[in-house]
Amino acid sequence: RCPVLLLQADSACGGMLTDGDVASISQWAPEVMHVHMPGVGHSMHWQRTQDCVNHTIAFVESLDG
């Protein structure tokens, strides 16, 4: 059991992770924090750096213990 942060770029903009992929991952990793980023392509870390940082901090802060 392991918490997972899943940042999903927009497939219409070049994102590689589909909604079906997210559904599959959520089945085998039920502790998924999923964030979909519409309008952002595969290079989401470059295109929306601060959003990625904010989501990562929120994820880490949500972990107990």
Side-chain angles (χ1 to χ4, degrees):
R1 207 176 106 173
C2 181
V4 175
L5 172 61
L6 187 60
L7 299 176
Q8 180 189 17
D10 191 332
S11 59
C13 297
M16 303 299 291
L17 198 63
T18 67
D19 291 338
D21 295 331
V22 172
S24 294
I25 292 167
S26 296
Q27 287 180 348
W28 59 259
E31 293 190 43
V32 171
M33 178 184 284
H34 171 236
V35 178
H36 181 252
M37 300 178 77
V40 179
H42 182 70
S43 298
M44 72 175 86
H45 301 91
W46 292 107
Q47 294 173 326
R48 302 256 301 268
T49 303
Q50 193 58 55
D51 286 339
C52 290
V53 169
N54 292 344
H55 290 302
T56 302
I57 290 170
F59 171 71
V60 171
E61 288 177 345
S62 75
L63 304 174
D64 40 289

